[in-house]
Structures are given as C-alpha cells and as structure tokens.
Amino acid sequence: MHSFLTRANAILAYTLSVCACLTFLCFLSTAFSHYDTDVRLRTFKTVVKNVPDYSASREKNDLGFLTFDIKTDILLIKYFNKIFIFNWNVKQLFVYLVAEYQTKMNSLNQIILWDKIIIREDNAILELKNMNTKYYFWDDGNGLRGNNNITLHLSWNVVPNAGLLPSISAKNVHSFAFPSEYTTSRL
C-alpha cells in the first residue's frame, strides 16, 4: 500500500491547500473596504534657514522647520457601513505626514515629515498638538524660502494579515507658506 512518507505528504499538501484557500478568503473578505477618513491639519510656527549641507558639495540648502497639529479618528473609518478600522484582517497601520511642493528645479517634491505605527492595541485616535517634525525638511536647493504652495496631507498604509497593502491619503489637505526671509536665530 502507501508508505508513511506518502501519507504524510498527502496530508501536508491537503493542509497547505486548505490554508491557501482560507488565506485567499481572508483577503477577499476585506478587499473592497474603504479606509478613508477626515483629518484636520494645522501649522503654526514656520521658519526657513539657509544652512550648509555637509555632503561632498558643501552648498547651502534650505532647511524648513514647522510646528503642526493633527486631529483625526482613524477608528471612524467605514467598513461595510460599520465604523471601525481594525477588522480581523488588519495587523497594523503605518501613518505618515507628507509635504508636497513645487520648486524651479522640480515640479513635484515629496517629503515625509512625521510617521507612527499604530498596532491593534494602540489608541487610533490621533490628537497631536504642537508637534515638531520627526525628520528634516531639507530642500535640494533654495526652494523653500517664500514658497507658498506647500501642502500637507496625512497618509497611511493598512498592513493586512493577508492581501494587498493599500496606501490611503486623507481627504483633507492643509496648505501653508514659508516666510520670504531666512531666519538666522537658533530655534
């Protein structure tokens, strides 16, 4: 008849097939979810400095500083007309704040200024006040001084247990301008 290894191989292959089907059903059950919500962003203190970039070129580039507020309730995202984000297929959220602007050198500049990982046990209500940027707001030239078309928007990636990794941007954006003069004082 069949040996022990033949039977073990059949059981393992059947088990893997069932697991693959269940994983696909897990993905399919949340594939058409909408993970968007409203966000309120505000900026306060905006300063731009012209400092040397300590790379090989040693040219002076613009460095922007800003203080911002974020207010959103990521738990209020609609999922099949129910209000919650952490369904059974969501492992964590990677939330990040992006600044977009135009300069003479580049038609589109995008910089991530702040990020946070929110896991299932964490509080998904973001109410941050007077936050500084986590990462430097460098420009590869002198495009920040007097720039009035800088737009901030909050985005997040939903990290699922199985399936695609959607990247979502919030509906609301916030625009602000940097001052037209460089700041020489310490911050």
Side-chain angles (χ1 to χ4, degrees), residues 24-43:
F24 181 72
L25 290 175
C26 176
F27 155 69
L28 199 59
S29 68
T30 59
F32 303 106
S33 301
H34 297 286
Y35 297 109
D36 53 352
T37 188
D38 291 328
V39 174
R40 274 191 266 151
L41 295 168
R42 291 184 0 192
T43 55

Side-chain angles (χ1 to χ4, degrees), residues 90-162:
V90 175
K91 187 186 309 183
Q92 66 186 18
L93 299 175
F94 178 70
V95 182
Y96 52 98
L97 182 67
V98 178
E100 290 184 355
Y101 62 99
Q102 293 179 348
T103 60
K104 293 177 183 175
M105 292 175 51
N106 300 314
S107 62
L108 177 64
N109 296 288
Q110 293 181 324
I111 299 175
I112 295 179
L113 299 175
W114 174 87
D115 64 4
K116 182 177 181 168
I117 295 174
I118 301 175
I119 57 175
R120 184 179 296 276
E121 294 83 22
D122 287 348
N123 188 4
I125 299 172
L126 293 177
E127 193 165 347
L128 307 172
K129 295 187 182 278
N130 293 327
M131 293 289 297
N132 292 320
T133 60
K134 190 174 179 180
Y135 306 108
Y136 288 119
F137 196 157
W138 279 103
D139 184 52
D140 60 346
N142 299 322
L144 292 182
R145 183 182 66 169
N147 196 332
N148 59 0
N149 67 352
I150 299 172
T151 304
L152 293 178
H153 62 87
L154 192 70
S155 299
W156 55 90
N157 289 355
V158 178
V159 181
N161 292 315

Side-chain angles (χ1 to χ4, degrees), residues 45-51 63 65 136 182-187:
K45 183 178 167 184
T46 58
V47 175
V48 65
K49 295 178 97 175
N50 193 265
V51 295
L63 176 62
F65 297 94
Y136 288 119
Y182 289 122
T183 301
T184 56
S185 64
R186 294 189 71 175
L187 298 175

